Amino acid sequence: MIDSYIELLTFSLVCKTLSITEAAKELNKSKAHVSRQLSNLEKRIGTTLFYRTTRSLTLTENGLALKDDALSLLNMSKNLDYKAYTVSQEISGRFCITIPTSIATSIFPLIILNLKQQFPKITFEIIVSNNVEPLLDKKIDMGIRLGITSDELIAHKVGEYQTILVSSNKSDENKENKDLTLIIDSFSSKGRLYISSINKEININEFKDVIFVNETATQLSLIQNGLGVGLVPSFVLSGIGQSNLFRIRSEYCSKPIEAYITYPYQTPLPEKLAAVSAFLREELHRYMNNK
């Protein structure tokens, strides 16, 4: 019975990735192990599930017939594993949160201090990433997301913010764009020539020069050292060490962007997750809406 389950779980992962290499990584097994499990399953049920070439895998007609049920099994297995991991009701132990760099380098140092005071027995693990990290796959308890959510997760809105133009030099307010260097987070801009604001589209070619960086800490450091002006989330001005930044060009701001905390659906909700969630919602709301 256990061997059959392992074969089916392996098949499910290969259905999801269509890659023996990727399935092996998720299972933390060798590619030979994955191939062997697939072969054992095909022998046991008496049918071929994949067409194999040296470069790709393709599901056969019989494989396609099993695909939806296999992916359901994979999802159920991950949920069961996550619930088993979070079954403890004591407000202690590990708690993992993934956050974007803009929050990590601005308001989160203030928030983590309050979290540790409120929950002294919890060991917090913080993953700073601008990627949408898979919470179940990586056993992450909670994610803070900016502007995006997932239908697979519980999401609580914690506030709104705007992208605003800031400088460390108040006199930049009176300068023309052609005399300023724009320092911009490439993760937020996605390389676009135009940046949306409420009243207009900002053509980045209007500026004397443009510097792209891939995370907020470097962007803020360059702005604070007077190397240019930058488009940053409005909550950045609430963070530690940002007192020397000033908002300029009030017309250069985006439409409101929503921020959320998210976590996998569970019932009943573990006490630790419920407590940290309630506290974080209040903390983030305070900084997000501090205009």
Side-chain angles (χ1 to χ4, degrees):
M1 184 67 180
I2 294 297
D3 289 342
S4 298
Y5 174 76
I6 293 173
E7 291 169 3
L8 289 168
L9 185 61
T10 303
F11 171 68
S12 302
L13 279 167
V14 178
C15 280
K16 174 189 170 186
T17 62
L18 287 180
S19 167
I20 287 178
T21 300
E22 292 303 315
K25 286 180 181 177
E26 291 206 36
L27 287 168
N28 196 27
K29 299 289 185 180
S30 68
K31 290 188 288 184
H33 172 87
V34 172
S35 296
R36 186 165 57 252
Q37 292 299 324
L38 291 179
S39 296
N40 290 344
L41 176 61
E42 289 175 326
K43 289 178 183 177
R44 184 167 61 82
I45 63 178
T47 189
T48 301
L49 299 173
F50 291 97
Y51 297 117
R52 297 168 172 83
T53 70
T54 55
R55 293 188 176 182
S56 65
L57 286 178
T58 306
L59 284 162
T60 65
E61 184 176 348
N62 289 335
L64 285 170
L66 296 175
K67 179 180 177 181
D68 287 345
D69 287 336
L71 294 178
S72 294
L73 172 66
L74 181 61
N75 189 53
M76 288 174 60
S77 176
K78 287 183 177 180
N79 276 291
L80 178 59
D81 184 58
Y82 187 86
K83 286 183 179 179
Y85 172 75
T86 58
V87 72
S88 172
Q89 297 296 300
E90 185 181 6
I91 311 297
S92 64
R94 172 187 178 273
F95 194 92
C96 185
I97 308 172
T98 177
I99 58 177
T101 61
S102 56
I103 288 181
T105 56
S106 58
I107 59 177
F108 205 74
L110 299 166
I111 292 173
I112 193 66
L113 289 173
N114 294 335
L115 271 174
K116 286 301 296 178
Q117 289 179 354
Q118 184 72 17
F119 305 105
K121 293 185 178 181
I122 292 180
T123 300
F124 288 97
E125 179 180 343
I126 310 302
I127 298 175
V128 179
S129 173
N130 285 329
N131 297 323
V132 180
E133 299 291 344
L135 305 191
L136 283 171
D137 289 352
K138 294 191 175 182
K139 291 186 173 64
I140 298 172
D141 296 282
M142 181 179 295
I144 300 175
R145 303 274 168 86
L146 302 179
I148 53 173
T149 59
S150 168
D151 292 338
E152 300 175 355
L153 301 173
I154 302 299
H156 296 286
K157 181 179 174 181
V158 294
E160 294 180 344
Y161 68 97
Q162 294 175 302
T163 300
I164 60 175
L165 191 67
V166 301
S167 174
S168 61
N169 190 342
K170 286 186 176 180
S171 66
D172 286 341
E173 176 74 58
N174 303 316
K175 294 180 181 178
E176 296 183 17
N177 287 352
K178 64 183 179 63
D179 298 319
L180 296 172
T181 294
L182 179 66
I183 303 168
I184 191 165
D185 179 354
S186 57
F187 175 78
S188 301
S189 68
K190 305 296 185 187
R192 290 176 297 186
L193 179 63
Y194 290 89
I195 301 166
S196 297
S197 70
I198 288 179
N199 299 316
K200 63 185 295 187
E201 293 281 313
I202 305 168
N203 187 341
I204 63 175
N205 285 338
E206 294 175 1
F207 290 83
K208 179 178 69 175
D209 193 13
V210 180
I211 300 174
F212 288 96
V213 299
N214 67 348
E215 46 83 34
T216 310
T218 301
Q219 181 192 23
L220 292 176
S221 177
L222 295 178
I223 298 169
Q224 288 170 326
N225 282 283
L227 298 180
V229 301
L231 288 161
V232 303
S234 53
F235 57 76
V236 162
L237 297 186
S238 302
I240 292 175
Q242 317 302 336
S243 58
N244 66 331
L245 293 182
F246 309 97
R247 180 174 179 175
I248 61 173
R249 310 280 178 84
S250 59
E251 71 273 17
Y252 281 15
C253 63
S254 70
K255 294 179 181 179
I257 304 167
E258 296 179 335
Y260 302 87
I261 60 169
T262 62
Y263 50 82
Y265 174 78
Q266 297 167 79
T267 181
L269 195 65
E271 184 180 349
K272 179 165 60 175
L273 179 56
V276 174
S277 172
F279 187 83
L280 264 182
R281 269 184 274 175
E282 184 176 337
E283 287 284 295
L284 287 165
H285 183 271
R286 180 155 58 95
Y287 290 111
M288 288 285 175
N289 297 280
N290 182 20
K291 298 180 180 179

